[in-house]
mmCIF file of all heavy atoms in Angstrom:
data_model
loop_
_atom_site.group_PDB
_atom_site.id
_atom_site.type_symbol
_atom_site.label_atom_id
_atom_site.label_comp_id
_atom_site.label_asym_id
_atom_site.label_seq_id
_atom_site.Cartn_x
_atom_site.Cartn_y
_atom_site.Cartn_z
ATOM 1 N N LEU M 213 53.947 20.327 -5.688
ATOM 2 C CA LEU M 213 53.190 21.007 -4.647
ATOM 3 C C LEU M 213 54.028 22.109 -4.002
ATOM 4 O O LEU M 213 53.504 23.186 -3.688
ATOM 5 C CB LEU M 213 52.688 20.011 -3.595
ATOM 6 C CG LEU M 213 51.793 20.569 -2.496
ATOM 7 C CD1 LEU M 213 50.657 21.430 -3.057
ATOM 8 C CD2 LEU M 213 51.245 19.440 -1.640
ATOM 9 N N GLU M 214 55.306 21.869 -3.845
ATOM 10 C CA GLU M 214 56.187 22.910 -3.311
ATOM 11 C C GLU M 214 56.143 24.151 -4.208
ATOM 12 O O GLU M 214 56.026 25.275 -3.719
ATOM 13 C CB GLU M 214 57.618 22.403 -3.201
ATOM 14 C CG GLU M 214 58.592 23.472 -2.700
ATOM 15 C CD GLU M 214 60.028 23.009 -2.750
ATOM 16 O OE1 GLU M 214 60.442 22.405 -3.762
ATOM 17 O OE2 GLU M 214 60.746 23.267 -1.772
ATOM 18 N N GLU M 215 56.214 23.950 -5.516
ATOM 19 C CA GLU M 215 56.164 25.081 -6.447
ATOM 20 C C GLU M 215 54.846 25.846 -6.332
ATOM 21 O O GLU M 215 54.825 27.075 -6.356
ATOM 22 C CB GLU M 215 56.374 24.595 -7.881
ATOM 23 C CG GLU M 215 57.787 24.128 -8.163
ATOM 24 C CD GLU M 215 57.943 23.424 -9.502
ATOM 25 O OE1 GLU M 215 56.930 23.210 -10.204
ATOM 26 O OE2 GLU M 215 59.090 23.080 -9.841
ATOM 27 N N LYS M 216 53.749 25.121 -6.193
ATOM 28 C CA LYS M 216 52.444 25.775 -6.050
ATOM 29 C C LYS M 216 52.361 26.565 -4.750
ATOM 30 O O LYS M 216 51.826 27.678 -4.717
ATOM 31 C CB LYS M 216 51.317 24.743 -6.123
ATOM 32 C CG LYS M 216 51.155 24.168 -7.514
ATOM 33 C CD LYS M 216 50.081 23.106 -7.568
ATOM 34 C CE LYS M 216 50.021 22.513 -8.976
ATOM 35 N NZ LYS M 216 48.937 21.558 -9.136
ATOM 36 N N LEU M 217 52.875 26.004 -3.680
ATOM 37 C CA LEU M 217 52.888 26.717 -2.409
ATOM 38 C C LEU M 217 53.701 28.004 -2.507
ATOM 39 O O LEU M 217 53.255 29.064 -2.045
ATOM 40 C CB LEU M 217 53.440 25.816 -1.300
ATOM 41 C CG LEU M 217 52.502 24.721 -0.814
ATOM 42 C CD1 LEU M 217 53.264 23.651 -0.041
ATOM 43 C CD2 LEU M 217 51.388 25.313 0.034
ATOM 44 N N ILE M 218 54.859 27.929 -3.113
ATOM 45 C CA ILE M 218 55.714 29.115 -3.252
ATOM 46 C C ILE M 218 55.010 30.173 -4.093
ATOM 47 O O ILE M 218 55.014 31.360 -3.740
ATOM 48 C CB ILE M 218 57.097 28.728 -3.815
ATOM 49 C CG1 ILE M 218 57.867 27.916 -2.759
ATOM 50 C CG2 ILE M 218 57.875 29.965 -4.251
ATOM 51 C CD1 ILE M 218 59.131 27.261 -3.259
ATOM 52 N N LYS M 219 54.380 29.757 -5.183
ATOM 53 C CA LYS M 219 53.631 30.710 -6.011
ATOM 54 C C LYS M 219 52.481 31.354 -5.238
ATOM 55 O O LYS M 219 52.090 32.482 -5.521
ATOM 56 C CB LYS M 219 53.099 30.035 -7.272
ATOM 57 C CG LYS M 219 54.165 29.742 -8.294
ATOM 58 C CD LYS M 219 53.592 29.055 -9.509
ATOM 59 C CE LYS M 219 54.687 28.705 -10.505
ATOM 60 N NZ LYS M 219 54.185 27.941 -11.660
ATOM 61 N N ALA M 220 51.953 30.631 -4.257
ATOM 62 C CA ALA M 220 50.867 31.153 -3.422
ATOM 63 C C ALA M 220 51.390 31.984 -2.251
ATOM 64 O O ALA M 220 50.620 32.443 -1.422
ATOM 65 C CB ALA M 220 50.015 30.003 -2.905
ATOM 66 N N GLY M 221 52.706 32.172 -2.187
ATOM 67 C CA GLY M 221 53.299 33.006 -1.144
ATOM 68 C C GLY M 221 53.654 32.273 0.134
ATOM 69 O O GLY M 221 53.862 32.889 1.172
ATOM 70 N N ILE M 222 53.752 30.964 0.053
ATOM 71 C CA ILE M 222 54.077 30.144 1.222
ATOM 72 C C ILE M 222 55.421 29.486 0.952
ATOM 73 O O ILE M 222 55.517 28.567 0.143
ATOM 74 C CB ILE M 222 52.983 29.083 1.473
ATOM 75 C CG1 ILE M 222 51.618 29.761 1.569
ATOM 76 C CG2 ILE M 222 53.302 28.257 2.712
ATOM 77 C CD1 ILE M 222 50.453 28.845 1.316
ATOM 78 N N ALA M 223 56.456 29.964 1.624
ATOM 79 C CA ALA M 223 57.803 29.542 1.269
ATOM 80 C C ALA M 223 58.489 28.659 2.306
ATOM 81 O O ALA M 223 59.615 28.223 2.078
ATOM 82 C CB ALA M 223 58.670 30.778 1.003
ATOM 83 N N SER M 224 57.842 28.410 3.440
ATOM 84 C CA SER M 224 58.503 27.600 4.464
ATOM 85 C C SER M 224 57.499 26.699 5.173
ATOM 86 O O SER M 224 56.290 26.944 5.154
ATOM 87 C CB SER M 224 59.195 28.498 5.496
ATOM 88 O OG SER M 224 58.232 29.139 6.316
ATOM 89 N N ALA M 225 58.034 25.681 5.810
ATOM 90 C CA ALA M 225 57.197 24.774 6.592
ATOM 91 C C ALA M 225 56.499 25.531 7.714
ATOM 92 O O ALA M 225 55.319 25.305 7.984
ATOM 93 C CB ALA M 225 58.049 23.634 7.148
ATOM 94 N N ASP M 226 57.206 26.434 8.349
ATOM 95 C CA ASP M 226 56.607 27.211 9.436
ATOM 96 C C ASP M 226 55.432 28.044 8.944
ATOM 97 O O ASP M 226 54.405 28.125 9.620
ATOM 98 C CB ASP M 226 57.640 28.122 10.098
ATOM 99 C CG ASP M 226 58.632 27.359 10.964
ATOM 100 O OD1 ASP M 226 58.348 26.198 11.328
ATOM 101 O OD2 ASP M 226 59.693 27.935 11.271
ATOM 102 N N GLN M 227 55.554 28.665 7.781
ATOM 103 C CA GLN M 227 54.449 29.446 7.223
ATOM 104 C C GLN M 227 53.233 28.561 6.974
ATOM 105 O O GLN M 227 52.113 28.945 7.295
ATOM 106 C CB GLN M 227 54.848 30.106 5.902
ATOM 107 C CG GLN M 227 55.672 31.359 6.034
ATOM 108 C CD GLN M 227 55.970 31.913 4.659
ATOM 109 O OE1 GLN M 227 56.699 31.300 3.881
ATOM 110 N NE2 GLN M 227 55.397 33.058 4.358
ATOM 111 N N LEU M 228 53.457 27.397 6.397
ATOM 112 C CA LEU M 228 52.358 26.479 6.113
ATOM 113 C C LEU M 228 51.681 26.045 7.409
ATOM 114 O O LEU M 228 50.455 26.078 7.521
ATOM 115 C CB LEU M 228 52.857 25.256 5.340
ATOM 116 C CG LEU M 228 51.827 24.155 5.090
ATOM 117 C CD1 LEU M 228 50.641 24.690 4.291
ATOM 118 C CD2 LEU M 228 52.482 22.983 4.372
ATOM 119 N N LYS M 229 52.463 25.666 8.396
ATOM 120 C CA LYS M 229 51.895 25.212 9.667
ATOM 121 C C LYS M 229 51.130 26.339 10.362
ATOM 122 O O LYS M 229 50.083 26.099 10.955
ATOM 123 C CB LYS M 229 53.001 24.675 10.569
ATOM 124 C CG LYS M 229 53.586 23.371 10.072
ATOM 125 C CD LYS M 229 54.752 22.934 10.917
ATOM 126 C CE LYS M 229 55.391 21.673 10.375
ATOM 127 N NZ LYS M 229 56.561 21.254 11.155
ATOM 128 N N GLU M 230 51.654 27.547 10.285
ATOM 129 C CA GLU M 230 51.004 28.681 10.942
ATOM 130 C C GLU M 230 49.649 29.007 10.306
ATOM 131 O O GLU M 230 48.675 29.276 10.994
ATOM 132 C CB GLU M 230 51.916 29.909 10.886
ATOM 133 C CG GLU M 230 51.367 31.095 11.638
ATOM 134 C CD GLU M 230 52.335 32.264 11.653
ATOM 135 O OE1 GLU M 230 53.531 32.041 11.887
ATOM 136 O OE2 GLU M 230 51.874 33.395 11.423
ATOM 137 N N MET M 231 49.584 28.979 8.975
ATOM 138 C CA MET M 231 48.330 29.351 8.308
ATOM 139 C C MET M 231 47.352 28.195 8.224
ATOM 140 O O MET M 231 46.159 28.408 8.140
ATOM 141 C CB MET M 231 48.596 29.946 6.937
ATOM 142 C CG MET M 231 48.779 28.969 5.826
ATOM 143 S SD MET M 231 48.861 29.742 4.208
ATOM 144 C CE MET M 231 49.820 31.185 4.506
ATOM 145 N N GLY M 232 47.854 26.988 8.222
ATOM 146 C CA GLY M 232 46.987 25.821 8.164
ATOM 147 C C GLY M 232 46.683 25.384 6.746
ATOM 148 O O GLY M 232 46.837 26.127 5.783
ATOM 149 N N SER M 233 46.226 24.160 6.650
ATOM 150 C CA SER M 233 46.002 23.548 5.348
ATOM 151 C C SER M 233 44.876 24.202 4.560
ATOM 152 O O SER M 233 44.985 24.385 3.350
ATOM 153 C CB SER M 233 45.708 22.053 5.512
ATOM 154 O OG SER M 233 44.538 21.854 6.286
ATOM 155 N N LEU M 234 43.787 24.565 5.224
ATOM 156 C CA LEU M 234 42.657 25.159 4.505
ATOM 157 C C LEU M 234 43.027 26.485 3.844
ATOM 158 O O LEU M 234 42.683 26.717 2.688
ATOM 159 C CB LEU M 234 41.466 25.351 5.438
ATOM 160 C CG LEU M 234 40.593 24.132 5.647
ATOM 161 C CD1 LEU M 234 39.657 24.341 6.822
ATOM 162 C CD2 LEU M 234 39.806 23.810 4.391
ATOM 163 N N GLU M 235 43.720 27.340 4.572
ATOM 164 C CA GLU M 235 44.109 28.629 3.993
ATOM 165 C C GLU M 235 45.116 28.435 2.864
ATOM 166 O O GLU M 235 45.039 29.098 1.829
ATOM 167 C CB GLU M 235 44.677 29.555 5.073
ATOM 168 C CG GLU M 235 45.166 30.885 4.541
ATOM 169 C CD GLU M 235 44.119 31.740 3.833
ATOM 170 O OE1 GLU M 235 42.905 31.498 3.988
ATOM 171 O OE2 GLU M 235 44.520 32.664 3.098
ATOM 172 N N ALA M 236 46.059 27.527 3.040
ATOM 173 C CA ALA M 236 47.031 27.265 1.973
ATOM 174 C C ALA M 236 46.314 26.741 0.729
ATOM 175 O O ALA M 236 46.591 27.183 -0.389
ATOM 176 C CB ALA M 236 48.077 26.259 2.461
ATOM 177 N N PHE M 237 45.386 25.818 0.919
ATOM 178 C CA PHE M 237 44.610 25.270 -0.189
ATOM 179 C C PHE M 237 43.786 26.363 -0.864
ATOM 180 O O PHE M 237 43.728 26.450 -2.087
ATOM 181 C CB PHE M 237 43.708 24.152 0.342
ATOM 182 C CG PHE M 237 42.884 23.466 -0.708
ATOM 183 C CD1 PHE M 237 43.478 22.692 -1.688
ATOM 184 C CD2 PHE M 237 41.504 23.573 -0.702
ATOM 185 C CE1 PHE M 237 42.709 22.034 -2.653
ATOM 186 C CE2 PHE M 237 40.726 22.923 -1.644
ATOM 187 C CZ PHE M 237 41.339 22.159 -2.626
#
Side-chain angles (χ1 to χ4, degrees):
L213 184 49
E214 178 187 44
E215 290 170 356
K216 290 178 183 185
L217 286 163
I218 291 169
K219 287 179 183 176
I222 306 159
S224 72
D226 287 342
Q227 281 181 293
L228 175 60
K229 290 175 183 178
E230 185 176 315
M231 84 172 40
S233 61
L234 277 167
E235 177 60 17
F237 182 67

